[in-house]
Amino acid sequence: EKPLVIALAGNPNAGKTTLFNAITGARQHVGNYPGITVERKEGCVTCGGHKLHLVDLPGTYSLTAYSQEEVVAREFLAHERPNAVIHVLNASALERNLYLTVQLLELGAPVLLALNMMDEARAHGWHVDSEKLSRLLDLPVSETIARTGKGVDELLAKAGEYARENTTGEWKPLTISYGPDLDPVIDEMAQTIERDQFLTERYPARWTAIKYLERDDAVLEQGRKAGDTAHKLEELAKRVAEHCRATLNMDPEAIIADYRYGFISSILKQGVLTREDRSERIM
Ligand code: GDP
Ligand code: MG
């Protein structure tokens, strides 16, 4: 039986390595990604009679090519198509951490959330309704305290089950709106990309279109190998950027970030994240 592959993704310091160690114990292997110094940590466990192969991805804040780590993480996801991706979040900084969740979902990855550092979140007076978050994002959510091992077994069971449901390698990208200035352009670019086999080999068309607007260096460079289509996309992206700067005094990149945070806050505001009134306890 081929083991199911489960990747761990998350911001640096969210507790990925602690969680990875809690799950795999001593059964792990540390190496490097070929040709670069980014560490690659892997381990195997059996859960519910199934073999699971876990990969601890490098810590990243986004999936745009700002750093080698981000390129490694997204290429791993796109090329190796893990059966599940555990996104480890620092629950005490939920809003900021969900920024990566949105990008993982836009890629189409089968994501489940580990709301880690629940002890920290509680100590800061945050109340997180993880069931509501699970319903609104339509994905499994677990609460964990990786440092003490709390919730880790439940998370692993959920991840194993989720991985078993995702064995076709067919991913379903989330579509969010980027507003009236960008949505029509993204659609137009995605249609152009869709017609080019080379450009749709790894990433969803809409995802690539957004990357052109974000001026993602790795995507631009890769696209140039496709020739004409990429040139057209770059020209279009340039015109849109000029338009956004002239009318909104903003780069497309900033507009995209704003809409992602808008999407996140619209979810959190539906009762997912509340702050306890601690005035009584302060006395
Ligand atoms: P990574 O960068 O995501 O791999 O994060 P690490 O696993 O290295 O953890 C970063 C720090 O957070 C370490 O000092 C951990 O001991 C600590 N940590 C991890 N999980 C938890 C948790 O659930 N609660 C608390 N309070 N600390 C944690
Ligand atoms: Mg780590």
Side-chain angles (χ1 to χ4, degrees):
E1 185 199 9
K2 225 173 114 208
L4 296 163
V5 178
I6 299 179
L8 270 78
N11 290 180
N13 291 316
K16 257 177 338 84
T17 300
T18 310
L19 195 60
F20 181 83
N21 290 341
I23 293 172
T24 61
R27 291 151 303 194
Q28 46 176 271
H29 169 83
V30 184
N32 275 327
Y33 285 90
I36 48 176
T37 56
V38 178
E39 196 180 84
R40 176 165 174 154
K41 239 175 150 186
E42 297 172 77
C44 267
V45 285
T46 310
C47 177
H50 290 268
K51 263 177 117 179
L52 305 178
H53 182 85
L54 276 91
V55 181
D56 187 16
L57 295 176
T60 58
Y61 294 102
S62 85
L63 292 179
T64 304
Y66 298 126
S67 68
Q68 208 173 41
E69 282 76 10
E70 284 160 337
V71 175
V72 166
R74 78 180 187 199
E75 287 194 341
F76 178 88
L77 295 171
H79 295 199
E80 313 227 359
R81 302 256 157 173
N83 302 101
V85 179
I86 300 177
H87 179 198
V88 186
L89 299 97
N90 175 354
S92 71
L94 192 56
E95 187 166 14
R96 183 157 42 87
N97 278 242
L98 282 169
Y99 193 73
L100 180 62
T101 313
V102 173
Q103 296 183 63
L104 289 166
L105 293 173
E106 285 188 297
L107 192 57
V111 178
L112 65 155
L113 304 184
L115 299 183
N116 193 40
M117 305 212 180
M118 282 306 292
D119 54 333
E120 290 279 327
R122 281 189 201 112
H124 286 98
W126 292 113
H127 180 267
V128 184
D129 188 336
S130 52
E131 272 179 33
K132 197 170 263 179
L133 182 61
S134 168
R135 267 202 312 281
L136 291 170
L137 287 178
D138 192 25
L139 45 76
V141 178
S142 289
E143 298 183 6
T144 59
I145 303 173
R147 195 186 257 174
T148 64
K150 196 163 188 296
V152 173
D153 288 343
E154 293 87 340
L155 168 69
L156 186 64
K158 259 190 203 176
E161 197 180 311
Y162 205 48
R164 283 198 297 282
E165 292 168 14
N166 289 294
T167 50
T168 60
E170 224 177 284
W171 287 9
K172 297 178 213 80
L174 169 78
T175 299
I176 68 170
S177 169
Y178 288 104
D181 290 284
L182 297 186
D183 277 345
V185 192
I186 293 171
D187 284 345
E188 187 186 335
M189 291 172 90
Q191 276 167 30
T192 306
I193 292 164
E194 203 72 71
R195 285 193 292 270
D196 191 307
Q197 229 178 1
F198 182 81
L199 289 171
T200 48
E201 215 168 24
R202 300 276 191 223
Y203 296 103
R206 196 181 146 85
W207 186 91
T208 301
I210 293 166
K211 287 289 164 275
Y212 268 93
L213 293 174
E214 290 179 305
R215 295 205 55 75
D216 182 293
D217 283 334
V219 166
L220 292 180
E221 198 182 310
Q222 180 69 12
R224 281 177 195 136
K225 294 181 197 156
D228 244 21
T229 313
H231 182 71
K232 255 195 288 185
L233 293 168
E234 282 192 50
E235 282 304 309
L236 187 54
K238 206 179 278 173
R239 280 211 306 279
V240 174
E242 279 160 14
H243 168 80
C244 291
R245 272 180 225 121
T247 59
L248 304 163
N249 200 20
M250 273 172 106
D251 281 321
E253 222 181 321
I255 299 173
I256 288 167
D258 272 7
Y259 274 89
R260 284 191 184 131
Y261 276 115
F263 174 82
I264 292 164
S265 96
S266 75
I267 282 170
L268 294 182
K269 272 195 283 204
Q270 293 177 61
V272 171
L273 186 65
T274 45
R275 206 172 173 96
E276 251 172 67
D277 181 7
R278 295 190 300 163
S279 53
E280 285 160 44
R281 276 202 264 138
I282 289 168
M283 307 302 285

